[in-house]
Amino acid sequence: MDIAFVRDKFPSLKKGYTFMDNAGGSQILGGSINYISEYFLNYNVQLGASYQVSADAGQVLKNATEKISEFLNTPNSQEVIIGPSSTMLLRILSICISHNWQAGDEVIITNTDHEANVSCWKDLEKKGIKIKVWNVNPESFELDLNELSNLISNKTRLVAVTHCSNVMGTINPIKEIARITHDAGALICVDGVAFAPHRRVDVQELDVDFYVFSWYKVYGPHQAVMYGKLPLLVGMPGINHNFFKAEDVPYKFQPGNYNFELTYSLKAIPEYMVDFYDHHFSDNKFSRNEKFEASFEIIATYEAQLAQELLSYLKSVKEIKIIGSSSADSTLRVPTISFIHPKFKSSEIVELIDKKKYRNSIWRFLCQTAH
Ligand SMILES: Cc1ncc(COP(=O)(O)O)c(C=O)c1O
């Protein structure tokens, strides 16, 4: 992977500061920054009017949403719902989907999920929805599929699960989880926030019903996206003004509208992944879809090298305990690595590393400490 090429795409890195908080959020692409200005300079008008600039604004936003749809491989661009954060989109989903649920219906959540995919479901207990918790195996720190099969019943309406643990970096076998969930007649809602910055998200390949992630972790601004299968989205009530109809997807899930300039800026992300491919390979025989795949594969390989370097170091310090898998295998984990040291508080380790902010060192990559 050509690091100079990558760095050049992120203007904030020119200051030389080494950011190590990628597990929490990424730097933004220069392309995204430029598109935000471009939107304000050329299209900052009311949408839906007959004059040319308004029509152009509507068209460029439609085009940006189609680019996102292509990036996630959604069958239909109507299935792309934009919102301010993953937390908000998951909350909107929980409110809308549960309208048609009855007391006694069940939702399965996990104890390895971020609160964003937990609280919104737990709050449904107030209307009689039963919440079951799928716990990670305390030895392996993995979600055991047999345990899911034990929990799931003919009352299960939804399984809410993360694609990747934001604390341990473990990748969950979502395709397999989706199959078990669908066999039981239930739906699956996946939090992809910790996964999407590192690997390609292909919602059709995964066969998930709902998939949510945040762009500020995937080289973009503070916005999030939710994919939902169209018939499911049409079949549930929305949360927008009353005059929106069932088929007004995605609008009925975007109360107060989505952020136009930031949505417009998102098209820089798929563009970057295609540029990334074109820079690394001279042939041009791949489709854009294949280029997304190939680019993420290069990233995964590079990340595995970095993860291996850090894990080898951590394993060499006998006091350190790694929380979760100690394998660098890119099919099993992303390079978010948690560890504890008996003598240092996690915050102390961070402060020590802070002092090396401009230096190349083994620490220069995704690293998250655990208490
Ligand atoms: C796994 C995971 N899910 C959800 C969220 C919440 O995302 P947002 O800040 O967009 O609400 C985070 C934030 O760090 C996260 O790590």
Side-chain angles (χ1 to χ4, degrees):
M1 189 166 97
D2 182 352
I3 293 292
F5 169 84
V6 172
R7 288 188 159 268
D8 192 49
K9 300 285 178 189
F10 293 86
S12 57
L13 297 182
K14 298 213 164 47
K15 295 202 168 136
Y17 198 101
T18 299
F19 294 100
M20 293 171 55
D21 56 353
N22 294 41
S26 69
Q27 292 301 303
I28 187 170
L29 281 163
S32 267
I33 300 171
N34 293 341
Y35 280 137
I36 295 170
S37 318
E38 190 175 296
Y39 190 87
F40 278 128
L41 292 171
N42 298 297
Y43 306 111
N44 194 24
V45 295
Q46 310 317 304
L47 296 191
S50 54
Y51 58 97
Q52 193 58 47
V53 187
S54 177
D56 290 347
Q59 189 53 47
V60 293
L61 284 171
K62 185 168 179 289
N63 177 266
T65 319
E66 282 164 0
K67 290 270 165 59
I68 297 163
S69 163
E70 182 191 38
F71 189 51
L72 306 182
N73 198 21
T74 78
N76 190 313
S77 60
Q78 267 186 284
E79 295 167 321
V80 172
I81 300 163
I82 301 289
S85 66
S86 292
T87 305
M88 182 60 102
L89 287 172
L90 286 162
R91 178 66 68 170
I92 289 173
L93 177 64
S94 73
I95 292 169
C96 297
I97 199 172
S98 63
H99 265 279
N100 302 330
W101 292 352
Q102 310 296 326
D105 284 345
E106 297 174 357
V107 171
I108 297 175
I109 59 174
T110 84
N111 72 341
T112 183
D113 266 74
H114 187 278
E115 269 302 302
N117 204 20
V118 170
S119 304
C120 59
W121 305 114
K122 268 188 146 172
D123 284 353
L124 299 177
E125 280 179 316
K126 292 179 202 126
K127 62 179 270 183
I129 305 298
K130 186 168 173 195
I131 303 297
K132 291 180 169 174
V133 183
W134 181 12
N135 291 312
V136 282
N137 178 319
E139 305 289 312
S140 65
F141 289 104
E142 281 172 14
L143 287 169
D144 183 347
L145 297 184
N146 292 328
E147 187 57 20
L148 173 62
S149 301
N150 292 339
L151 289 172
I152 214 158
S153 79
N154 58 6
K155 295 208 166 139
T156 310
R157 304 301 298 250
L158 185 109
V159 174
V161 59
T162 188
H163 200 161
C164 173
S165 161
N166 61 311
V167 177
M168 296 174 293
T170 328
I171 297 174
N172 291 318
I174 291 299
K175 212 173 155 177
E176 191 61 9
I177 297 172
R179 193 189 54 71
I180 297 170
T181 304
H182 291 149
D183 285 351
L187 301 174
I188 179 167
C189 168
V190 179
D191 174 346
V193 176
F195 182 87
H198 306 281
R199 306 284 183 271
R200 170 85 197 285
V201 174
D202 180 333
V203 293
Q204 292 193 68
E205 162 67 14
L206 293 169
D207 190 22
V208 288
D209 300 296
F210 306 100
Y211 196 101
V212 178
F213 70 84
S214 316
W215 295 105
Y216 70 90
K217 299 189 199 257
V218 192
Y219 335 133
H222 271 86
Q223 286 291 280
V225 61
M226 176 164 72
Y227 157 78
K229 284 185 180 160
L230 192 56
L232 298 172
L233 297 176
V234 171
M236 70 177 90
I239 200 172
N240 209 336
H241 308 307
N242 286 344
F243 57 71
F244 280 103
K245 297 195 276 309
E247 60 275 19
D248 287 336
V249 176
Y251 311 107
K252 70 179 186 183
F253 300 108
Q254 296 174 158
N257 238 324
Y258 59 111
N259 182 306
F260 301 141
E261 61 276 9
L262 298 185
T263 301
Y264 182 67
S265 82
L266 297 178
K267 67 180 184 151
I269 297 156
E271 278 170 11
Y272 166 64
M273 295 312 283
V274 169
D275 283 356
F276 184 97
Y277 175 89
D278 291 340
H279 178 78
H280 288 89
F281 299 97
S282 51
D283 65 274
N284 209 2
K285 64 180 189 316
F286 275 8
S287 66
R288 283 171 63 84
N289 194 41
E290 289 165 327
K291 287 183 181 182
F292 295 145
E293 291 284 344
S295 295
F296 273 108
E297 266 171 39
I298 297 178
I299 290 173
T301 305
Y302 182 72
E303 286 183 349
Q305 286 164 17
L306 293 177
Q308 183 58 59
E309 211 176 324
L310 179 61
L311 285 164
S312 302
Y313 169 72
L314 294 175
K315 283 191 241 177
S316 74
V317 183
K318 75 174 181 337
E319 293 92 340
I320 284 179
K321 182 170 189 291
I322 296 165
I323 312 291
S325 167
S326 58
S327 161
D329 185 337
S330 65
T331 62
L332 302 178
R333 72 159 327 121
V334 302
T336 301
I337 296 160
S338 283
F339 63 92
I340 44 176
H341 191 293
K343 293 208 193 89
F344 297 99
K345 283 192 198 155
S346 300
S347 56
E348 286 174 310
I349 296 174
V350 173
E351 278 161 26
L352 286 169
I353 298 167
D354 268 353
K355 297 193 181 114
K356 298 179 184 282
K357 58 190 171 190
Y358 295 116
R359 286 182 48 194
N360 286 342
S361 79
I362 189 168
W363 299 100
R364 195 178 59 188
F365 66 99
L366 320 176
C367 170
Q368 187 167 346
T369 56
H371 291 276

